[in-house]
Amino acid sequence: MAAALSHVRALLELCPGHAALVRGDGALLAGNRSLNALLERLAIGPDAPLTEAFASAPDALADILRRAFGSGRPVIGALMVRSATGAAERPRVQALCIDRREGPATAWHVLWLTPSNAGAQRFQDLNATVVQLRNEIVRRRAVEETLERRVLERTQEIEAVNGELHAALEKLQSAQSEIVQSAKMAALGALVAGVAHELNTPIGNGVTMASVLQVRTDDLHAAVEAGSLRRSELESYAEDMRSGADILLRNLSRAAELIASFKQVATDRTSASRRVFDLREMIDDQLVMLQPLLQSAAIAMEVQVEKGVILDSYPGALGQVIANLIVNATQHAFEGRDQRAIAISAREVQGAIEMQVSDNGIGILELDRPRIFDPFYTTKVGKGGTGLGLNIAYNLATNVLGGRITLAAKDASRAGATFQIILAKHAPRPDLEST
């Protein structure tokens, strides 16, 4: 309506007397120079109601505006205009509602007070111009209302589509979370299977030796009962018991180590607990769990990490990252390769830990390198690949460990792929970062 208001201001200046754009409640919206000069002489401020310029009863102006709003045609009325000298003037007063807006209180009215000696033709010309302007304002307002309605309808359509998209996104994120959780549980299940396989040897050896010792003990007991026990038999039994106990102890100790490692790894992975730990010891625990996989794939492991590198971080998350990188290498890196090796190294650089997990495999194609950390991206579609291993490793390294993981650029001097992990020695605490 800014253009319409500009037209009204121009029209007001054409009036030979006092002219104003008045709201239905009497508030002055605009005036011509003649009216503004009058208000200045009468010391009436710009925010004061226009009724202060009239000597007539306050209801006189309201009555004229009310009749103009109701009729929709020019209305002539009588008002006494004050003057600075105290004398009152009685000009010809005409009002026309040009924009009905929300109701009589906010409607726009053109009000002009023409001297009684003004020519009739001049008055009719102004009247016709005001009517044309009113019609133009009505037309423009109809156009604006149509546009507003269309904008509202379009906004509602967009909001409905956005709501559907948001619901679909939530379902997708929920499905992704479930798949990621399933992948984690599958990895833990594989861990259990590997530990069970590893435990089979020491426990089997222990059971076998216990059976042998039981038989030897039964024979000794029978010889004692028969009174035929000889010194040489007793010495042989003692030697067998000592040797058997040593074998039992070594095998049971190995089983205990495996169980302790599994318990620590499983606890770290499922609870996401933070603790202080030795990096080399954590890596060794992970490799114990992965030993069956590495043995079946004929992969040699090399760890170049000194003991004494202490981290205050999340060993479960870091172990998951390392395990996922190793599993990814066993699945993708060694097709057609006889010599298979994976190396893990770590060093301290400017207060942080720089780790590298590298293999001597076939490497990663340039086409795949930009997307290897994307969820569900795999080169083993239909062959058991989920496309989540490296994505989980990326999220854990960045979101939990407060570090970053990257795929190193290709190096012509060495084969395979190298992943670089930068870790803070003191992982960020989510509770402190959020405050």
Side-chain angles (χ1 to χ4, degrees):
M1 300 301 289
L5 183 59
S6 177
H7 287 307
V8 172
R9 292 181 185 277
L11 174 66
L12 297 179
E13 296 301 334
L14 297 178
C15 295
H18 309 310
L21 177 64
V22 184
R23 209 165 58 192
D25 58 3
L28 177 64
L29 301 178
N32 64 356
R33 283 190 292 270
S34 177
L35 179 67
N36 291 335
L38 173 64
L39 296 179
E40 186 177 352
R41 290 195 302 271
L42 296 176
I44 298 176
D47 297 329
L50 189 60
T51 52
E52 294 189 10
F54 302 111
S56 306
D59 293 339
L61 176 60
D63 179 66
I64 293 174
L65 298 179
R66 186 165 47 251
R67 288 191 291 122
F69 180 84
S71 68
R73 298 188 300 275
V75 172
I76 298 176
L79 290 173
M80 297 295 295
V81 180
R82 293 168 50 198
S83 69
T85 60
E89 303 175 0
R90 189 180 183 85
R92 174 185 288 177
V93 179
Q94 186 164 338
L96 175 65
C97 180
I98 63 173
D99 186 1
R100 304 179 73 85
R101 298 215 161 233
E102 306 300 331
T106 58
W108 283 8
H109 300 79
V110 171
L111 182 73
W112 67 98
L113 297 81
T114 309
S116 56
N117 58 357
Q121 185 61 44
R122 179 65 169 168
F123 193 86
Q124 292 175 359
D125 291 344
L126 289 173
N127 186 18
T129 302
V130 171
V131 171
Q132 291 176 1
L133 180 60
R134 190 271 307 274
N135 294 338
E136 177 65 14
I137 290 175
V138 171
R139 185 190 69 81
R140 291 188 181 187
R141 187 163 183 81
V143 172
E144 287 182 357
E145 290 176 350
T146 300
L147 290 176
E148 289 175 355
R149 184 174 64 254
R150 291 179 180 175
V151 169
L152 179 60
E153 292 174 352
R154 185 58 178 164
T155 300
Q156 291 174 343
E157 293 175 0
I158 292 175
E159 290 177 348
V161 172
N162 285 341
E164 295 175 358
L165 291 176
H166 183 68
L169 179 61
E170 287 184 342
K171 290 182 180 179
L172 177 61
Q173 291 175 339
S174 176
Q176 287 181 342
S177 298
E178 291 178 1
I179 293 174
V180 170
Q181 189 63 27
S182 298
K184 290 182 178 180
M185 295 307 296
L188 194 58
L191 189 66
V192 173
V195 171
H197 177 80
E198 285 294 298
L199 284 173
N200 185 62
T201 298
I203 292 179
N205 292 339
V207 170
T208 299
M209 181 51 61
S211 299
V212 171
L213 294 179
Q214 184 179 23
V215 171
R216 294 286 287 121
T217 301
D218 290 341
D219 292 342
L220 178 66
H221 185 267
V224 171
E225 290 290 330
S228 59
L229 179 65
R230 297 192 299 272
R231 180 183 179 87
S232 59
E233 291 177 340
L234 184 60
E235 290 176 349
S236 175
Y237 174 78
E239 182 63 27
D240 290 344
M241 287 296 295
R242 183 168 52 250
S243 176
D246 181 64
I247 293 174
L248 275 174
L249 181 61
R250 281 190 283 109
N251 281 277
L252 291 178
S253 295
R254 176 59 178 164
E257 290 175 1
L258 289 171
I259 293 173
S261 296
F262 169 72
K263 181 179 179 181
Q264 185 62 66
V265 171
T267 300
D268 287 338
R269 289 197 185 181
T270 55
S271 68
S273 59
R274 179 192 185 106
R275 63 183 177 88
V276 177
F277 61 94
D278 186 289
L279 179 60
R280 176 59 189 260
E281 292 179 359
M282 187 278 300
I283 293 175
D284 289 342
D285 287 343
Q286 293 296 323
L287 295 182
V288 168
M289 302 300 103
L290 294 171
Q291 196 61 35
L293 174 66
L294 296 171
Q295 287 179 348
S296 64
I299 298 174
M301 283 297 310
E302 180 182 2
V303 180
Q304 301 174 351
V305 180
E306 297 293 334
K307 287 190 175 183
V309 178
I310 306 301
L311 299 180
D312 178 10
S313 188
Y314 300 90
L318 181 54
Q320 183 78 63
V321 171
I322 295 173
N324 285 14
L325 292 177
I326 293 176
V327 171
N328 183 75
T330 61
Q331 292 176 343
H332 300 277
F334 301 113
E335 290 185 2
R337 292 295 180 103
D338 294 330
Q339 299 296 324
R340 303 178 175 188
I342 298 175
I344 301 175
S345 63
R347 60 174 183 158
E348 187 171 349
V349 179
Q350 296 179 350
I353 302 300
E354 178 186 291
M355 290 186 61
Q356 287 190 344
V357 179
S358 58
D359 61 70
N360 64 344
I362 59 177
I364 299 175
L365 297 176
E366 288 293 340
L367 177 66
D368 298 323
R369 293 174 75 88
R371 300 187 59 189
I372 58 170
F373 294 116
D374 291 352
F376 307 106
Y377 182 76
T378 178
T379 58
K380 296 287 187 180
V381 177
K383 299 180 181 180
T386 64
L388 288 172
L390 292 182
N391 176 255
I392 292 174
Y394 179 86
N395 288 330
L396 290 174
T398 56
N399 299 333
V400 178
L401 301 173
R404 62 181 185 274
I405 180 172
T406 56
L407 174 62
K410 281 189 173 182
D411 188 344
S413 64
R414 64 170 183 244
T418 298
F419 289 89
Q420 187 178 60
I421 309 167
I422 304 298
L423 300 171
K425 296 187 69 174
H426 299 274
R429 297 183 181 272
D431 55 339
L432 296 180
E433 287 189 341
S434 61
T435 57

